[in-house]
Amino acid sequence: MATIKDVAARAGVSISTVSHVLNHTRRVSEEATRNVLEAVSALNYAPNSVARSLKVNRTRTLGLLVTASTNPFFAEVVKGVEDYAFSQGYSLILCNTENQFERQRHYLRMLMEKRVDGLLVMCTDLDEAIQELMRSYQHVPQVVMDWGGSSDFANVINDNARNGAYLAARYLLQMGHRHIACISGQLHKATTQLRLDGVRDALAELDLSLADDLIFEGDYESQSGFDAMQQILALPQRPTAVFAFDDPMAMGALCAAHLAGVKVPDDLSIMGYDDTELARFTSPPLTTINHPKAELGKTAVELLMARIRNKELATESLTVKPELVVRQSVAAPRR
C-alpha cells in the first residue's frame, strides 16, 4: 500500500506539500498540485483517515440513530440527511435501533468511540434513560428529529404532529364526515397522543368528540393498519372515514378494504399521514399529510454543521410545517 512518502517521492515534492495539497491547508503552485494529484492517482493512494482525525480532532463523519430505516418515512428522511451530508464532504454512519434501549445504548457508545463529529437522532420518542445517556455525550453536537419535546443539550426539530392531525381531521369534516375512526400508533407514544389531540381539536370546532371505541391502536406498520381495518369493517355501525396516523398503516387499511370488497372512497374514505413516496401509487392514490422529509433531513444537518463549527451556540427547537395533500382516497360520504 502506497504511503505519503511514496507520493512525495513520485511527485518530486516534500511530504508537507503533499499534505497541504490533500488537506487544502495552504496554497500550493499549480504545477506541484498537478504532480501530487497525478502521483496520488497513479499510486492509488488513500490517506490514513484515522491518523488524520487524531491529528486534527475531526473525522468528517456523522452518526445517525434511526428507529427503523425500513419505514418509508424514516428512509426518505435518511436520504435527505445523507445527500446533504455528502454534499458537505461528510460520511454518515447509519444505526437502526428498532426503538430498543440496548441497541440505542450500544450504537451511541460505538459512535462515540468512532469519534463522530456530530450525532443525529431520529425517533418518535426518547425515554429518560436514553436522554440521560445522550446528555452524557453532550460534548458532541447533537440534533434530534421528529420528536415532540425540547432539550437542554441538543437541537430539536419537532414534527408539529398536533397541527398535522388537525389538518387531516378538519379536511375529513369539511368533506362531510362526522363518523371518523382513527388507526393510531402506540398509545403510550407522545407523537400518537399529539395526533389524537389534533383530531380532537378539529372535532371540537363542530362540538363533536372522538369516542374511545373509534381509536384502534396500531404500531405505525402496515400489518397493524390491515388488522385495525378488519376490526373497523366488522363494526355494527361502520364509520364513513378512517384516519391512519401514517401512510404504511393507511396502505394496510386500503388493502384490507379492497379484500373485503369495500370501495375507497365510494364506500369508505381513508386518510394517511407523512406523504411517503409510495402514497402517490396506491389504488386509489392516498390523500395524506405532507411531512417535509428532505427539508427535515437537510435542516437537521445544517443545524448540526453549525454546532460543529461553533460548539458554544445555544440549543434551539424548530418546528416543521405539515401540509394537506389531496388525492383520491377521500370523498364525501354517501347519504
Coordinates of all heavy atoms in Angstrom, one line a residue, residues 247 251 274-288 327:
D247 N -48.7 6.7 6.6 CA -49.0 6.1 5.3 C -48.9 4.5 5.3 O -49.8 3.9 4.7 CB -48.1 6.7 4.3 CG -48.5 8.1 3.9 OD1 -49.5 8.6 4.4 OD2 -47.7 8.7 3.2
M251 N -51.9 2.3 4.0 CA -51.8 1.3 2.9 C -52.3 -0.1 3.4 O -53.0 -0.8 2.6 CB -50.4 1.3 2.4 CG -49.9 2.5 1.8 SD -48.2 2.5 1.4 CE -47.9 4.3 1.0
D274 N -47.8 11.6 6.4 CA -46.4 11.6 6.1 C -46.1 11.9 4.6 O -45.0 12.3 4.2 CB -45.6 10.4 6.5 CG -45.4 10.3 8.0 OD1 -45.3 11.4 8.6 OD2 -45.2 9.2 8.5
D275 N -47.1 11.5 3.7 CA -46.9 11.7 2.2 C -45.6 11.0 1.8 O -44.7 11.7 1.2 CB -46.9 13.1 1.9 CG -47.0 13.3 0.3 OD1 -47.5 12.4 -0.3 OD2 -46.5 14.4 -0.2
T276 N -45.4 9.7 2.1 CA -44.3 9.0 1.6 C -44.3 8.8 0.1 O -45.4 9.0 -0.5 CB -44.2 7.6 2.3 OG1 -45.4 6.9 2.1 CG2 -44.0 7.8 3.8
E277 N -43.2 8.4 -0.5 CA -43.1 8.3 -2.0 C -44.2 7.4 -2.5 O -44.8 7.6 -3.6 CB -41.8 7.8 -2.4 CG -41.5 7.7 -3.9 CD -41.5 9.0 -4.6 OE1 -41.2 10.0 -3.9 OE2 -41.7 9.0 -5.8
L278 N -44.5 6.3 -1.8 CA -45.5 5.3 -2.3 C -46.9 5.8 -2.3 O -47.8 5.2 -2.9 CB -45.4 4.0 -1.5 CG -44.1 3.2 -1.8 CD1 -44.0 2.0 -0.8 CD2 -44.0 2.7 -3.2
A279 N -47.2 6.8 -1.5 CA -48.6 7.3 -1.3 C -49.2 7.7 -2.7 O -50.4 7.6 -2.8 CB -48.6 8.5 -0.4
R280 N -48.4 8.1 -3.6 CA -48.9 8.5 -4.9 C -49.3 7.3 -5.8 O -50.0 7.5 -6.8 CB -47.9 9.3 -5.7 CG -47.5 10.7 -5.0 CD -46.5 11.4 -5.9 NE -45.2 10.7 -6.0 CZ -44.5 10.6 -7.1 NH1 -44.9 11.1 -8.2 NH2 -43.3 10.0 -7.1
F281 N -48.9 6.1 -5.4 CA -49.0 5.0 -6.3 C -50.0 3.9 -5.7 O -50.0 2.8 -6.3 CB -47.7 4.4 -6.6 CG -46.7 5.4 -7.2 CD1 -45.6 5.9 -6.4 CD2 -46.9 5.8 -8.5 CE1 -44.7 6.8 -7.0 CE2 -46.0 6.7 -9.0 CZ -44.9 7.2 -8.3
T282 N -50.7 4.2 -4.6 CA -51.7 3.3 -4.1 C -52.9 3.4 -5.0 O -53.0 4.3 -5.9 CB -52.0 3.6 -2.7 OG1 -52.5 5.0 -2.6 CG2 -50.8 3.5 -1.7
S283 N -53.8 2.5 -4.8 CA -55.1 2.5 -5.6 C -56.3 2.6 -4.6 O -56.6 1.6 -3.9 CB -55.2 1.2 -6.4 OG -56.3 1.3 -7.2
P284 N -56.9 3.7 -4.5 CA -56.6 5.0 -5.2 C -55.4 5.7 -4.6 O -55.0 5.4 -3.4 CB -57.9 5.8 -5.0 CG -58.4 5.3 -3.7 CD -58.1 3.8 -3.6
P285 N -54.8 6.7 -5.2 CA -53.7 7.5 -4.6 C -54.2 8.1 -3.3 O -55.3 8.5 -3.2 CB -53.4 8.6 -5.7 CG -53.9 7.9 -7.0 CD -55.1 7.1 -6.6
L286 N -53.3 8.1 -2.3 CA -53.6 8.4 -1.0 C -53.6 9.9 -0.6 O -52.7 10.6 -0.9 CB -52.6 7.7 0.0 CG -52.9 7.6 1.5 CD1 -54.2 6.8 1.7 CD2 -51.8 6.9 2.2
T287 N -54.8 10.3 -0.1 CA -54.8 11.7 0.5 C -54.1 11.6 1.8 O -54.4 10.7 2.6 CB -56.3 12.1 0.7 OG1 -56.9 12.3 -0.6 CG2 -56.4 13.5 1.4
T288 N -53.2 12.6 2.1 CA -52.4 12.4 3.3 C -51.9 13.8 3.7 O -52.2 14.8 3.2 CB -51.2 11.5 2.9 OG1 -50.4 11.2 4.1 CG2 -50.3 12.0 1.8
R327 N -55.5 13.8 -2.7 CA -55.5 12.9 -3.9 C -56.9 12.3 -4.0 O -57.9 13.0 -4.1 CB -54.4 11.9 -3.7 CG -53.0 12.5 -3.7 CD -51.9 11.5 -3.9 NE -50.6 12.1 -4.0 CZ -49.7 12.2 -2.9 NH1 -50.0 11.6 -1.8 NH2 -48.6 12.8 -3.1

